[in-house]
Amino acid sequence: MAPAPPSTRSRIIAAASRLFYAQGIRAVSVDAVAEQAKLTKRTLYYHFRSKDELVAAYLEARDQPNLALFQRWFAEAEGGLPIKVQAIFRRLAHTVAQKHWKGCGFLRTAAELANLPGHPAMRIGAAHKKRFEAWLAEQLAAGGLPDAGLLARQVVLLLDGAFAVILLHRDPSYMEAAGEAARALLHAAAERASQPEPA
């Protein structure tokens, strides 16, 4: 039995995702998205009341797949917490080396909407980053690391800092270096946690 064709809404989001990620949200018109989705602009506006709503849907569609990918990379890595977290950076270093990589879609969108802090896409991007941070804090706490929330935030800073610098230099070794820093940070925290309490 052949799979059901994607819904019109899904087609629009897929078209918007390709264009927004490749060219940026300000450079892409609603007309271009409609043309890419092979439908009329009227049909597009039936499903999305505005371009802002479509931009928000684009980021929302990236949220769970991105989180699931990071979680899978973490789970597949062999070793303790520092190695598992470093594995996320290592896998990303491979991803950012690809020609089609244009940066973190959430951060790029935030940069384009920096003067619109109330934009729905900004809220979705912020929620995505917080979800990853919260998930990471849970893993670190489950592994017995103290100050798991602070450690998770520090790892997020290394990750997003690497994303920003790689956009400038197009050099994936910055992601590798950030991963080494994350591993060292967590290794030091694990060492401290294993020390006996002073008498």
Side-chain angles (χ1 to χ4, degrees):
M1 187 174 174
S7 69
T8 301
R9 181 181 174 87
S10 297
R11 280 173 51 207
I12 295 168
I13 293 173
S17 295
R18 289 191 294 272
L19 292 173
F20 289 156
Y21 186 73
Q23 301 174 29
I25 59 172
R26 292 195 185 278
V28 175
S29 67
V30 171
D31 292 284
V33 174
E35 183 179 343
Q36 178 82 12
K38 296 181 170 47
L39 44 77
T40 65
K41 190 161 72 167
R42 181 176 180 179
T43 301
L44 187 150
Y45 276 122
Y46 175 80
H47 292 275
F48 297 95
R49 290 170 296 178
S50 66
K51 182 179 176 182
D52 287 344
E53 195 174 287
L54 182 56
V55 172
Y58 149 66
L59 284 190
E60 205 160 41
R62 296 178 73 90
D63 175 47
Q64 289 304 316
N66 279 20
L67 291 172
L69 189 61
F70 286 2
Q71 290 165 2
R72 179 165 63 81
W73 289 345
F74 178 90
E76 289 174 351
E78 305 227 344
L81 277 174
I83 299 298
K84 284 180 167 293
V85 170
Q86 185 181 20
I88 295 173
F89 288 80
R90 284 189 166 157
R91 298 291 287 269
L92 281 170
H94 175 74
T95 300
V96 303
Q98 307 305 307
K99 287 183 179 178
H100 67 268
W101 188 78
K102 305 285 186 183
C104 169
F106 296 94
L107 295 179
R108 282 184 57 208
T109 301
E112 289 198 65
L113 299 174
N115 62 334
L116 297 170
H119 193 286
M122 294 289 274
R123 292 195 296 272
I124 289 166
H128 169 78
K129 294 294 183 180
K130 283 290 189 183
R131 266 191 285 278
F132 174 72
E133 185 179 324
W135 168 79
L136 184 57
E138 286 174 9
Q139 308 314 304
L140 301 183
L145 293 187
D147 300 319
L150 176 59
L151 286 170
R153 182 159 295 185
Q154 290 168 337
V155 171
V156 168
L157 288 170
L158 288 167
L159 182 64
D160 285 339
F163 276 140
V165 175
I166 293 167
L167 270 179
L168 292 173
H169 300 298
R170 295 291 165 174
D171 182 352
S173 70
Y174 282 94
M175 188 63 76
E176 293 277 10
E180 287 286 345
R183 182 191 58 75
L185 174 73
L186 298 179
H187 180 73
E191 287 284 300
R192 289 194 304 273
S194 68
Q195 297 298 317
E197 290 288 333

